[in-house]
Every structure is written in structure tokens, then in C-alpha cells.
């Protein structure tokens, strides 16, 4: 059964979608894992980044609203399977009003979890009903953050939400780690934020990933070509860093049982 990993940070611009794409593509390409990526961000950037025409297929919105089954919404890319998103999801806060609205994604995923090794969920930069659905469905959270004080503040603000989710809809939710993106170890700010992130991680019962993701223009270029950063520029710093990050994720999740329980 699949291990479900949600990437989250309420602060935008921290490389969350880029990291989701790199993780999904890396697990599939380097380790031959069967991966399903799910885009819960109404901007739909994850599907675009992996080379999918997001205007010409069913979306996660169609799944969550019962307009199509999850199997019908799954699209295949060169790297992994994916369920894309679109702007219709932006109305989820008002549209999803049922008593179990935090469990819509978990219920939808149930029929396909046996088909995959990993499910990677990209979330919007907000703590809303979409993010709560991603937390409820996840075994693990990964928190990407840039080496900036405001990004660190976004991480600290997640703690209350995560604790609330553990007390209500997902008591087994685990924080796999914090990954630093756009990292330049030569700057004092980056080094100081890394130290603070390690302290915050300890308070949250997790740790910072050993490999930081250095900035590279290839990261910005790859989505325009619909390819992973590994294929677009395999020798650049970011490709090497993301490969090491994927190695760490695999090592941290190897042998772990997922926390998914049937929703009745």
C-alpha cells in the first residue's frame, strides 16, 4: 500500500511545487517506484511541471465533487501518474460543506492506494480545507522552506494545525522533515535560518534534511520544457541536491507502514 507524503508550507514561494515534482520524478526515475502525484493547488503548476496539458483532462476537483472517479482522473506522464488541478478548486472553502469535508481526499484515494508505492500531494500556500484534506490523507509531511525569516515563521505556524489534525482526523500524522530550498550556504542569513530551522524541527519532533537545495536557474527552466530538473540539467547543483534529498526520503520511509485506515 502506498506511503502518502504531503508537501506543505503556508508561505508561498518556498519551492513547494518544485520539490513535489522533483520528489515524484526522482522516486519514479531513480528507484522505479510507482508514484501518483496529486495537485491540490488551484494554480495547477504541478501537472504543468511534469509535462501534462492541464486544460485537457479531469482534475482533482472533479474527483472531490464526485463528477468522476479517481481512476478516470489519473493521467500518465513520462515520470509518474498524476491527478492535476485547476482554478475551480479555489472555491473549495465555500463549496465543500459536508460534515466529513476534511476526509474527501482520503476517501477518494482509498481505491488506488494498493496500486502505488508513493502518493505525493502538493498543497496550496494556505491553511484551508484543501490543506486539511491533504493532512488527513497523509502518512508524512515534508515542509519545504526558503532560508528566510518569514518562511521560518510559516513553519512555526503549522504546528498548531498539525496538532489539531492529529487530535481529530489523523492521529498518526508524522513530520518527515524540513527541507531548505534556494539555499546559499555562503550567506550569514542562510546559515542562521538553518540553525533556527533545526531548533524548530526539534520542537516539532522532526529534523532538517541533511541536504539543502541550492538555487539554480535550471529549476525555473525545467517546467517550461515539461521535464524534470534531472532531465533538463542533470549536472546542475539543484539536480544533485534533489537526488540526494530523494535518497533521504526513501531512507526515512523504508520499512515504514503507512497510517491509512479505511474510512467508513
Amino acid at each position: 500500500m502506498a506511503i502518502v507524503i504531503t508537501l506543505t508550507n503556508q508561505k508561498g514561494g518556498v519551492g513547494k511545487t518544485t520539490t513535489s515534482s522533483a520528489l515524484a520524478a526522482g522516486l519514479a526515475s531513480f528507484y522505479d517506484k510507482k508514484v501518483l502525484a496529486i495537485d491540490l493547488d488551484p494554480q495547477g503548476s504541478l501537472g504543468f511541471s511534469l509535462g501534462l496539458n492541464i486544460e485537457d483532462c479531469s482534475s482533482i476537483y472533479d474527483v472531490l465533487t464526485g463528477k468522476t472517479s479517481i481512476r478516470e482522473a489519473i493521467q500518465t506522464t513520462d515520470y509518474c501518474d498524476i491527478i492535476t488541478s485547476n482554478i475551480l478548486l479555489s472555491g473549495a472553502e465555500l463549496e465543500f460543506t459536508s460534515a466529513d469535508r476534511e476526509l474527501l481526499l482520503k476517501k477518494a484515494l482509498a481505491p488506488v492506494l494498493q496500486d502505488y508505492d508513493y502518493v505525493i500531494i502538493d498543497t496550496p500556500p494556505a491553511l484551508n480545507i484543501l490543506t486539511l484534506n491533504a493532512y488527513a490523507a497523509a502518512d508524512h509531511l515534508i515542509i519545504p522552506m526558503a532560508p528566510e525569516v518569514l518562511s521560518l515563521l510559516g513553519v512555526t505556524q503549522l504546528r498548531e494545525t498539525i496538532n489539531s489534525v492529529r487530535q481529530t482526523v489523523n492521529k498518526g500524522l508524522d513530520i518527515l522533515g524540513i527541507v531548505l530550498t534556494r539555499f546559499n550556504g555562503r550567506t550569514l542569513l542562510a546559515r542562521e535560518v538553518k540553525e533556527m530551522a533545526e531548533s524548530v524541527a526539534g520542537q516539532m519532533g522532526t529534523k532538517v534534511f541533511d541536504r539543502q537545495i541550492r538555487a539554480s536557474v535550471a529549476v525555473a527552466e525545467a517546467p517550461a520544457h515539461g521535464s524534470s530538473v534531472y532531465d533538463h540539467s542533470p549536472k546542475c547543483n539543484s539536480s544533485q541536491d534533489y537526488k540526494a534529498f530523494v535518497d533521504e526520503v526513501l531512507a526515512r520511509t523504508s520499512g515504514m507502514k503507512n497510517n491509512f485506515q479505511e474510512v467508513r
Side-chain angles (χ1 to χ4, degrees), residues 83-135:
I83 303 177
T84 189
S85 175
N86 59 38
I87 196 63
L88 292 174
L89 264 185
S90 60
E93 201 70 40
L94 296 177
E95 190 168 352
F96 299 164
T97 58
S98 63
D100 63 347
R101 65 184 197 145
E102 295 94 348
L103 298 173
L104 293 174
L105 180 61
K106 187 170 186 175
K107 290 181 176 180
L109 274 174
V112 300
L113 284 177
Q114 295 285 0
D115 300 337
Y116 296 95
D117 299 308
Y118 286 89
V119 175
I120 307 300
I121 305 174
D122 187 25
T123 57
L127 293 177
N128 56 21
I129 190 60
L130 296 173
T131 306
L132 291 177
N133 265 268
Y135 288 11

Side-chain angles (χ1 to χ4, degrees), residues 138-156:
D139 300 305
H140 308 286
L141 300 181
I142 291 177
I143 306 173
M145 63 164 285
E148 303 166 354
V149 174
L150 290 179
S151 183
L152 182 65
L153 180 62
V155 174
T156 60

